[in-house]
Amino acid sequence: LCGFWNIIHHPSSIIIIMSLMHCRHGLSRQLIEQGYKSHRHSGRLVQGSSHSCEWNSSSRRWYTPMTEDEQEKEKARVLHLSPEAKEQELRQLNREISRLEMLRGINTGELYTWSGRYKALMRDYGVPLFVYYWVTWTSMGVLTYLAIDVGGLDALQMISNVDNYTGWSLATKVDPQLGKIGLALVMNEMLEPVRLPFVVATLKPVMETIDPPKY
């Protein structure tokens, strides 16, 4: 019901649905284009899809940034570039992509939120972000365990306090060493509000030091 309510309050969605239902029955091209107007900001409509809606009896179209012919021409052009020219063009493309991603972040507001910055890191780094996060998580876990062990914190006493509060009897069933490990894991998870901002704030400088980007 919520999805239906959202659809009926967005005229562009209704027009798109109508176009999919009626395009083979002669719905006017102008009506369909009104539905796509708010969703098409770049790229172009090109011919050749067997799954697209017919605008008329002789053509089929879908949305793509480049046609196959344009891709082949671009491949041929790049193939004849010198290494220096390719390097220079790559740097220019990277600068433009970086600028467009920042403009998109400003438009959506994600550039100024931790979740948006984390999403951008996932997009830009992927596996390095995963590795960096788990190295940080493991390091903080080891340091937490060492702090508990060296500091003489009695894990069983803390578990006994939990037992007194909950009515359980975990302290009599837990090995002291395992109790320290379990307490370290719990405390390490409690550090997540500190760990995640740290990863988001430091990953990019670290990666740019290891593998400087080509700008």
Side-chain angles (χ1 to χ4, degrees), residues 10 17 101 114 124 170 179 182 192 208:
H10 291 79
I17 293 173
E101 288 175 348
W114 284 110
D124 295 338
L170 297 177
E192 187 65 28
E208 290 184 351

Side-chain angles (χ1 to χ4, degrees), residues 40 91 120:
R40 178 163 57 91
R91 291 177 182 274

Side-chain angles (χ1 to χ4, degrees), residues 118 128-138 192 195-196 199:
Y118 187 78
L129 171 61
F130 177 82
V131 173
Y132 185 70
Y133 174 85
W134 284 109
V135 168
T136 305
W137 186 92
T138 304
E192 187 65 28
R195 179 167 46 246
L196 184 58
V199 169

Side-chain angles (χ1 to χ4, degrees), residues 2-213:
C2 292
F4 178 76
W5 182 262
N6 290 331
I7 289 174
I8 64 175
H9 280 75
H10 291 79
S12 61
S13 300
I14 297 176
I15 296 173
I16 292 173
I17 293 173
M18 291 174 61
S19 68
L20 295 175
M21 294 175 60
H22 299 287
C23 61
R24 294 185 180 275
H25 299 283
L27 185 64
S28 68
R29 179 176 177 178
Q30 290 77 12
L31 180 61
I32 299 173
E33 287 180 343
Q34 290 176 7
Y36 283 100
K37 185 176 180 181
S38 61
H39 299 275
R40 178 163 57 91
H41 300 287
S42 63
R44 53 182 66 82
L45 293 171
V46 296
Q47 298 181 354
S49 172
S50 60
H51 301 286
S52 60
C53 176
E54 290 185 2
W55 299 122
N56 52 53
S57 60
S58 61
S59 67
R60 297 172 184 269
R61 301 192 176 192
W62 77 94
Y63 176 80
T64 184
M66 294 183 71
T67 66
E68 292 184 3
D69 290 340
E70 289 171 335
Q71 293 179 40
E72 294 301 324
K73 291 178 181 178
E74 182 64 15
K75 289 179 183 178
R77 185 189 69 83
V78 172
L79 187 63
H80 292 85
L81 292 177
S82 66
E84 293 78 11
K86 289 180 67 174
E87 181 78 9
Q88 183 178 1
E89 186 170 314
L90 179 61
R91 291 177 182 274
Q92 182 179 355
L93 289 173
N94 286 340
R95 287 195 296 267
E96 185 63 21
I97 290 171
S98 179
R99 176 179 176 275
L100 291 175
E101 288 175 348
M102 181 169 289
L103 289 175
R104 184 183 184 279
I106 293 173
N107 185 278
T108 60
E110 293 180 346
L111 185 65
Y112 309 105
T113 64
W114 284 110
S115 60
R117 293 175 64 183
Y118 187 78
K119 185 188 298 184
L121 292 177
M122 286 288 294
R123 178 195 64 220
D124 295 338
Y125 296 102
V127 173
L129 171 61
F130 177 82
V131 173
Y132 185 70
Y133 174 85
W134 284 109
V135 168
T136 305
W137 186 92
T138 304
S139 301
M140 294 180 71
V142 172
L143 291 175
T144 302
Y145 175 80
L146 291 177
I148 294 173
D149 191 39
V150 175
L153 183 62
D154 191 348
L156 291 183
Q157 181 60 43
M158 296 189 66
I159 296 175
S160 297
N161 293 336
V162 174
D163 289 342
N164 294 334
Y165 181 76
T166 60
W168 298 342
S169 57
L170 297 177
T172 59
K173 302 177 182 179
V174 176
D175 180 81
Q177 192 65 25
L178 292 178
K180 289 182 179 180
I181 295 175
L183 181 60
L185 289 174
V186 171
M187 294 182 67
N188 192 29
E189 289 302 316
M190 293 175 65
L191 293 173
E192 187 65 28
V194 177
R195 179 167 46 246
L196 184 58
F198 172 81
V199 169
V200 172
T202 60
L203 174 63
K204 188 173 182 179
V206 170
M207 290 303 302
E208 290 184 351
T209 302
I210 298 174
D211 183 22

